[in-house]
Amino acid sequence: MSILEIEQIATRNDNYVYLIRDISSNRVAAVDPSDADPVIGALNNLDWVLTDIINTHHHNDHTGGNLELKDIYNCSITGPKADHDRIAGIDSDVGDGDRYFLGGSEAMVFDTPGHTRGHIAFWFPESGALFCGDTLFALGCGRTFEGTPQQMWESLKKLRNLPDETKVFCAHEYTQANAKFAVSVDPKNEKLLKRAENINKLRAENKRTVPSLLGDEKETNPFLRCDTESIAKAVALDANDPVTVFAEVRLRKDNF
Ligand code: ZN
Ligand code: FE
């Protein structure tokens, strides 16, 4: 049993990079380092030494710091097997059902294609932490750039299966815009309305809304609820066909 310490770094306009330290081994990983400089600054403040990088997908705002950090720290880079060739500096690759170890901390790896074809997520059960990149966001989900609605829905369902108390460490602060859209498709969801209000308050004070709790996402995130009557009805479709519902909700969000 080992536990992670998690440090959240805001980078670029709305990215979150995470530094995670396995207490037993003192190994430290950067999750989706968009850029090297903010990571180096945070490491110096914490007096941590980077040993690992993990990437959820190939986009530059998740891998942009890979090579510079590897150059400085000689750290080992782990990324998605299905996108091996698109991850700068990759050393090892992982896919669905694989285990990833940061010292004594073990993560289960899920393939979560849809946003990109080789997207993965890391779940550390002992720390109750999910690093899901651009698959699941607080009150939203990633755009389906390289996958089908069917793939994205299946990916989201895998994450939805995790325990309610799981903390969702997604890679962007998109929550306020997501909340506005969520309320437009699910206006009678009392929990969602309350959550949206709280998010507006937090953002007005420039506070972070990430991580969120998976249990709250299950109840309020429309993209996790495409097999419920309320979301299906909102887009005039059948809850027995959640993929079609998902496709429609995603399309509406793209145009919102
Ligand atoms: Zn992305
Ligand atoms: Fe991104």
Side-chain angles (χ1 to χ4, degrees):
M1 171 102 185
S2 197
I3 289 286
L4 293 175
E5 270 178 13
I6 301 172
E7 187 72 21
Q8 182 176 32
I9 313 167
T11 71
R12 302 196 182 184
N13 283 337
D14 48 36
N15 274 81
Y16 286 128
V17 177
Y18 299 98
L19 288 178
I20 60 178
R21 184 175 84 93
D22 172 63
I23 290 172
S24 66
S25 65
N26 207 23
R27 289 190 79 91
V28 175
V31 183
D32 282 351
S34 60
D35 306 274
D37 283 350
V39 172
I40 295 166
L43 288 164
N44 289 342
N45 282 338
L46 293 158
D47 210 10
W48 291 0
V49 177
L50 194 68
T51 58
D52 296 75
I53 288 174
I54 60 183
N55 295 130
T56 61
H57 65 295
H58 76 91
H59 283 157
N60 177 266
D61 63 316
H62 299 255
T63 58
N66 275 19
L67 293 179
E68 199 178 329
L69 291 169
K70 190 174 183 176
D71 213 40
I72 297 169
Y73 297 97
N74 195 25
C75 52
S76 162
I77 302 180
T78 301
K81 195 170 282 174
D83 250 339
H84 185 106
D85 295 344
R86 296 200 286 181
I87 304 287
I90 193 167
D91 297 294
S92 5
D93 54 28
V94 286
D96 216 39
D98 284 344
R99 313 264 155 172
Y100 168 81
F101 288 89
L102 182 69
S105 288
E106 178 181 21
M108 285 182 62
V109 178
F110 303 102
D111 279 338
T112 57
H115 178 67
T116 60
R117 65 164 188 258
H119 198 295
I120 53 175
F122 295 82
W123 176 49
F124 291 86
E126 288 168 344
S127 299
L130 173 68
F131 297 95
C132 51
D134 290 357
T135 296
L136 173 64
F137 293 127
L139 287 179
C141 77
R143 284 176 188 252
T144 51
F145 287 127
E146 297 178 5
T148 62
Q150 168 100 46
Q151 282 176 321
M152 193 61 159
W153 172 245
E154 295 302 327
S155 296
L156 291 171
K157 275 203 299 183
K158 277 186 202 172
L159 303 182
R160 191 178 67 172
N161 277 335
L162 301 177
D164 286 358
E165 61 274 17
T166 305
K167 289 191 225 61
V168 180
F169 291 94
C170 63
H172 289 278
E173 178 64 62
Y174 289 158
T175 318
Q176 192 169 31
N178 288 344
K180 211 170 164 195
F181 173 74
V183 167
S184 80
V185 292
D186 201 6
K188 289 187 186 128
N189 184 333
E190 289 294 334
K191 284 204 166 144
L192 170 61
L193 296 176
K194 263 203 166 150
R195 191 176 170 197
E197 209 177 286
N198 187 246
I199 286 159
N200 288 336
K201 252 187 226 150
L202 288 170
R203 293 311 291 157
E205 296 165 20
N206 237 320
K207 288 188 179 145
R208 296 169 183 181
T209 65
V210 175
S212 60
L213 274 183
L214 189 59
D216 292 337
E217 298 303 330
K218 293 179 194 180
E219 290 184 306
T220 56
N221 185 328
F223 295 99
L224 293 185
R225 292 163 43 77
C226 291
D227 50 2
T228 66
E229 283 299 331
S230 43
I231 301 299
K233 264 195 195 144
V235 293
L237 289 165
D238 187 342
N240 293 317
D241 184 7
V243 173
T244 308
V245 174
F246 174 82
E248 178 61 24
V249 176
R250 187 56 261 180
L251 188 68
R252 288 189 187 196
K253 175 67 168 69
D254 291 345
N255 299 315
F256 188 66

